[in-house]
């Protein structure tokens, strides 16, 4: 299992989205049990017995430390060579955002807090059940997938196309002019079709929590947006009023 020569992701693993997990753990028994449990779940597992080897794997194949060849790292704290907290700190310092789950016999609150403060995403105290470990791994990988959906992708719904990076909106083949607030409001709506937003949620997202005006501001902006987007603003098909709740898009 231990290998300094990590293969590049194969095209097959890219296609099927096989998650690759690195375990840095010096206790053979625990490491072997984790490998078994995670491989059974279909994950690709790579291991390191000490901190130095772990760091080398993270920088393998000319991969800069800011970009991880792994989707998740399980990290013991008490490790030979380089300890887990230093690895975690170092990765975050380099801008690497790979999810890190700390596995440690240190159960005190201070250790947990310290682990999370240096940038770990979750903390599991030994001894733990393999079922719990697998569940936490799944949750961290799921969260990471959600983050990796590009936020600047072109959004399209019905006759409306929004280009986030160009701040442009095309409606029925014609470019329309939106104020910055109108644009951000539409971008938010289009990112979550059918989701119902309260006026307070829209204020918080677009105007920010310090906004002192009242929620009528939202209604005014919705009316302006309707006039620009809808074929019949009094009978909207995009910006729908949900009585008693707020608004939804589509
Ligand atoms: Ca250890």
């Amino acid at each position: 299992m231990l290998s300094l020569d990590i293969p590049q992701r194969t095209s097959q693993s890219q296609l099927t989205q096989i998650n690759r997990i690195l375990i840095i753990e010096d206790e053979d028994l625990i490491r072997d049990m984790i490998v078994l449990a995670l491989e059974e779940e279909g994950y690709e597992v790579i291991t390191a017995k000490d901190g130095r080897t772990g760091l080398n794997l993270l920088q393998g194949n000319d991969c800069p430390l800011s970009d991880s060849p792994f989707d998740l790292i399980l990290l013991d704290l008490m490790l030979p060579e380089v300890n887990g907290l230093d690895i975690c700190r170092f990765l975050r310092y380099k801008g690497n955002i790979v999810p890190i789950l700390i596995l440690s016999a240190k159960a005190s609150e201070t250790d947990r807090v310290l682990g999370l403060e240096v940038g770990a995403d979750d903390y599991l105290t030994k001894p733990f059940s393999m079922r719990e470990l697998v569940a936490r791994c799944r949750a961290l990988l799921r969260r990471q997938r959600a983050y990796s959906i590009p936020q600047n992708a072109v959004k399209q719904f019905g006759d409306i196309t929004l280009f986030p990076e160009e701040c442009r909106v095309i409606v029925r083949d014609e470019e329309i002019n939106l104020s910055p607030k109108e644009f951000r409001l539409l971008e938010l709506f289009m990112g979550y079709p059918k989701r119902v937003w309260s006026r307070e949620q829209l204020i918080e997202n677009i105007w920010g929590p310090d906004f002192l005006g009242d929620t009528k501001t939202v209604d005014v902006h919705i009316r302006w947006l309707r006039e620009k987007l809808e074929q019949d603003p009094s009978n909207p098909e995009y910006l729908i009023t949900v009585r008693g709740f707020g608004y939804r898009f589509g």
Side-chain angles (χ1 to χ4, degrees):
M1 235 28 252
L2 179 67
S3 158
L4 275 174
D5 180 27
I6 32 172
Q8 292 287 344
R9 277 169 193 274
T10 61
S11 55
Q12 201 201 342
S13 79
Q14 269 161 356
L15 280 176
T16 51
Q17 291 287 307
I18 294 174
N19 287 120
R20 177 183 273 193
I21 301 176
L22 172 65
I23 304 170
I24 311 178
E25 164 66 77
D26 60 325
E27 285 165 72
D28 295 338
L29 185 62
I30 296 179
R31 200 179 53 248
D32 291 348
M33 281 168 65
I34 298 175
V35 170
L36 272 179
L38 292 180
E39 283 187 343
E40 204 160 285
E41 293 293 310
Y43 297 120
E44 187 181 342
V45 184
I46 288 130
T47 62
K49 288 183 184 186
D50 61 75
R52 171 71 49 211
T53 310
L55 272 178
N56 286 341
L57 283 168
L58 281 157
Q59 298 172 94
N61 288 343
D62 300 325
C63 174
L65 205 50
S66 57
D67 183 21
S68 175
F70 302 98
D71 301 300
L72 173 65
I73 299 175
L74 306 190
L75 185 62
D76 183 25
L77 286 188
M78 305 282 276
L79 285 166
E81 309 268 341
V82 184
N83 76 54
L85 282 179
D86 284 341
I87 292 177
C88 196
R89 214 177 268 134
F90 191 53
L91 283 175
R92 294 315 188 220
Y93 172 74
K94 290 286 180 182
N96 190 317
I97 55 162
V98 62
I100 297 174
L101 170 57
I102 286 181
L103 310 172
S104 176
K106 293 181 165 185
S108 84
E109 194 185 46
T110 323
D111 287 316
R112 274 170 185 267
V113 170
L114 191 58
L116 298 173
E117 266 178 2
V118 298
D121 298 271
D122 201 0
Y123 196 110
L124 202 52
T125 303
K126 295 174 187 172
F128 48 80
S129 81
M130 285 302 145
R131 273 181 65 188
E132 177 163 17
L133 176 89
V134 168
R136 301 252 190 142
C137 288
R138 250 191 236 135
L140 285 168
L141 289 164
R142 206 165 41 229
R143 229 186 292 165
Q144 190 219 17
R145 261 198 305 282
Y147 284 142
S148 60
I149 294 170
Q151 294 297 303
N152 53 1
V154 172
K155 296 179 172 71
Q156 210 267 325
F157 193 99
D159 292 331
I160 305 174
T161 311
L162 181 143
F163 302 85
E165 294 196 323
E166 301 163 37
C167 297
R168 280 195 319 135
V169 177
I170 306 284
V171 181
R172 288 176 289 280
D173 298 328
E174 274 185 45
E175 186 160 348
I176 57 164
N177 284 317
L178 296 179
S179 71
K181 287 276 190 291
E182 289 165 356
F183 183 86
R184 290 186 51 209
L185 202 50
L186 180 61
E187 188 180 19
L188 181 70
F189 274 122
M190 289 185 79
Y192 303 88
K194 309 281 183 202
R195 171 178 167 169
V196 177
W197 297 85
S198 70
R199 289 166 177 80
E200 291 75 17
Q201 286 171 327
L202 294 170
I203 291 273
E204 173 130 2
N205 274 280
I206 307 298
W207 282 266
D210 300 328
F211 179 72
L212 293 174
D214 71 76
T215 53
K216 289 269 187 299
T217 308
V218 173
D219 301 320
V220 173
H221 277 78
I222 294 281
R223 201 170 66 229
W224 289 340
L225 263 180
R226 277 179 179 154
E227 276 161 20
K228 294 174 181 180
L229 301 175
E230 306 281 355
Q231 275 180 310
D232 177 5
S234 56
N235 193 14
E237 53 175 318
Y238 292 113
L239 288 168
I240 313 293
T241 303
V242 185
R243 295 221 179 279
F245 292 99
Y247 296 100
R248 68 157 210 265
F249 183 84

